[in-house]
């Protein structure tokens, strides 16, 4: 299976990417082909809502999304969303990528891709993942993606906090289960 891992942390060696690395290790052990794409490092503009694409055509924005990421999404069997929680929600660059699904919604929903969600937060409250988790589930539902699992890393404010937690192992096991 071809798995696209969408990272959205500016900290390459940060906690969310640590979970991604462990997920990838598990998935590669099962023979899956992995592509990692860090959306923070790319020129990805937000959807304009102009409607020119008609939900099934070329986007008017010619940027890294249209020229690099969209073909990777189409070619993948699974998308793994990797993110640190920013103010109880998704980082804007990753959210912008999901918004850009609009230009090929019809094609993408017909593909019935698999998805997974890896996220971390400094916070350890019961509600820290409510909004990010609900948004992920809604994206899966609307896009007809099969949710293959989540790792929600509480109290993972630094890489050392994350490294000593149960979450890297959970990410590895999720990757291994795919």
């Amino acid at each position: 299976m071809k798995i696209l891992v969408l990272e959205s942390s500016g900290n390459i060696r940060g906690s969310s990417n640590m979970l991604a690395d462990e997920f990838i290790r598990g998935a590669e052990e099962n023979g899956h082909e992995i592509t990692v794409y860090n959306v923070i490092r790319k020129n990805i503009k937000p959807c304009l809502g102009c409607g020119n694409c008609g939900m099934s055509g070329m986007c008017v924005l010619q940027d890294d999304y249209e020229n690099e990421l969209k073909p990777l999404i189409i070619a993948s069997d699974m998308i793994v969303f990797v993110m640190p929680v920013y103010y109880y929600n998704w980082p804007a660059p990753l959210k912008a990528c999901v918004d850009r699904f609009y230009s090929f919604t019809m094609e993408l929903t017909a593909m019935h891709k698999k998805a997974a969600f890896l996220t971390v937060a400094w916070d350890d409250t019961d509600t820290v993942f409510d909004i990010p988790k609900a948004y992920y589930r809604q994206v899966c539902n609307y896009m007809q993606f099969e949710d293959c699992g989540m790792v929600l890393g509480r109290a993972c404010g630094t890489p050392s906090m994350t490294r000593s937690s149960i979450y890297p192992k959970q990410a590895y096991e999720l990757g291994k289960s795919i």
Side-chain angles (χ1 to χ4, degrees):
M1 177 174 14
K2 292 182 179 182
I3 301 173
L4 176 61
V5 177
L6 293 180
E7 295 179 340
S8 61
S9 174
N11 186 350
I12 296 300
R13 295 185 189 2
S15 294
S16 63
N17 289 351
M18 183 186 302
L19 296 188
D21 291 344
E22 287 301 304
F23 175 91
I24 290 165
R25 188 169 66 90
E28 284 180 336
E29 286 178 9
N30 276 351
H32 298 297
E33 179 183 326
I34 311 294
T35 301
V36 178
Y37 194 92
N38 191 311
V39 301
I40 289 280
R41 308 252 180 262
K42 299 297 183 170
N43 174 29
I44 297 175
K45 298 173 184 154
C47 178
L48 299 174
C50 66
N52 282 337
C53 63
M55 295 178 76
S56 62
M58 188 76 132
C59 180
V60 298
L61 299 172
Q62 293 302 304
D63 58 4
D64 291 339
Y65 187 91
E66 191 67 23
N67 298 315
E68 294 176 4
L69 185 52
K70 185 175 175 180
L72 291 173
I73 292 169
I74 291 169
S76 71
D77 301 302
M78 179 177 195
I79 301 170
V80 181
F81 300 96
V82 181
M83 57 164 268
V85 170
Y86 286 177
Y87 290 92
Y88 301 91
N89 214 333
W90 285 43
L94 186 57
K95 173 70 167 66
C97 290
V98 173
D99 289 348
R100 295 283 294 278
F101 286 174
Y102 186 81
S103 70
F104 62 121
T105 295
M106 302 310 170
E107 180 181 3
L108 191 54
T109 56
M111 293 178 180
H112 302 284
K113 295 188 181 292
K114 296 179 183 301
F117 185 49
L118 308 174
T119 185
V120 295
W122 187 288
D123 200 335
D124 192 20
T125 62
D126 290 338
T127 60
V128 68
F129 295 115
D130 288 357
I131 293 168
K133 195 167 54 169
Y135 181 71
Y136 166 74
R137 286 186 173 143
Q138 192 59 39
V139 167
C140 286
N141 182 54
Y142 183 73
M143 299 308 299
Q144 298 180 24
F145 294 168
E146 177 189 340
D147 174 18
C148 294
M150 295 184 239
V151 176
L152 309 173
R154 294 173 190 250
C156 290
T158 66
S160 62
M161 292 166 72
T162 305
R163 196 174 297 108
S164 63
S165 74
I166 61 170
Y167 306 114
K169 183 176 187 222
Q170 287 180 356
Y172 169 79
E173 289 172 356
L174 178 57
K176 191 79 171 154
S177 74
I178 304 299

